[in-house]
Amino acid sequence: VSQYLHSSFPVCSETTGITLKKMTTTIESKSRDALRAANRVIIKAGTSIVANSNGQPSLTRLGAIVEQISELVHNGTEVIFVSSGAVGMGKKLLRKQGRLNLSVKQLHTAQENSNSQQTFGRKMDDHLVEPISLSTSSSLSNLVTIDVDEEKLASAENQKQYDSACAAAGQFELMNFYSSLFSQCDLTASQILVTQADFQDKFRLKNLRYAVERLLSLGIIPIVNENDAVSAASGYRALQTFSDNDSLASICARSFGAEVLVILTDVNGVYDKPPSAPDAKLIKFYPSDCGAIEIGEKSAQGRGGMGAKIDAARDAVKPDTGSKCTACIIVGGHDLDCIRHVLGPNEEGIPDQQKGTL
């Protein structure tokens, strides 16, 4: 998606004449050039890119992303990184800590209740459904069954609070991980956690912009994420400034003067049908009046989905919002060279592979 789409050119029509094709190709070429000429870019990585399905951080993908960001920074491009993944990493930490704490409680209770039962069970909430069942052993032969209010654990409010705890624990782990990776590339990363109120209040937004500008001027990479510990991932509401990290990346592009927005996703780009469909085709260039496309199911780990990414891309390049963002591309983050393909210099003699959907 590009600001060039908002010109008067009829870039999407039933007409398939040679003139229209040349015009569309020209607009796409200008937009691709804008990607490489950008001085400030925002790169957004979703949970499906940051973490594997088991919640473990993907060392391969994150290592490649950090390495490519470092290349951009060392070549003079300012990079703001919007990263998901804190809740996913926090789930693993809370699950592990929960097991440790439950084991201590078992031993303590076993000493006080020598005639208790020999089994122990407890169901965690829906986000961490992994019942704990300890086998009988001589050292743990006297245990009790702790009664748990199943309805309370399954309640939406309790689940939201648990997500907030996951975000708080996982964000610390995530930033430690990024700090280690960027330090290997002689770069320093910083953390910026935001809520919708930070963009709605003029005073907060002014301070936020100053912080970002100051960090970028020193060559420090701001890593932005929603402060889920405060907002509790409150979901989609009409009056919200953003409801997922795709729309967060879009508003960051408008608020922080980024010229290009790159959204990394778990598919190669935008398809005219769900990517799993045998006749699905990748849309290389998404015109402003392209019409409806069939959106598949979102990944199990993320909140947004492809529909949210398309909306975020269109919002980022709207000229009537005063945005400096001239182009947005949705590209597959599983390609370990995806950022180089869309933002790196065009090497002489090597044809432009035109990755992703512009």
Side-chain angles (χ1 to χ4, degrees), residues 155-200:
S155 69
E157 188 63 27
N158 189 76
Q159 179 175 319
K160 184 179 292 186
Q161 292 172 359
Y162 209 99
D163 282 345
S164 300
C166 286
Q171 187 66 35
F172 184 80
E173 187 79 1
L174 184 65
M175 288 306 301
N176 278 337
F177 189 73
Y178 280 134
S179 178
S180 298
L181 290 177
F182 277 112
S183 66
Q184 298 302 312
C185 301
D186 296 325
L187 290 175
T188 301
S190 60
Q191 174 183 261
I192 297 179
L193 298 178
V194 296
T195 64
Q196 59 176 344
D198 297 320
F199 293 96
Q200 293 172 332

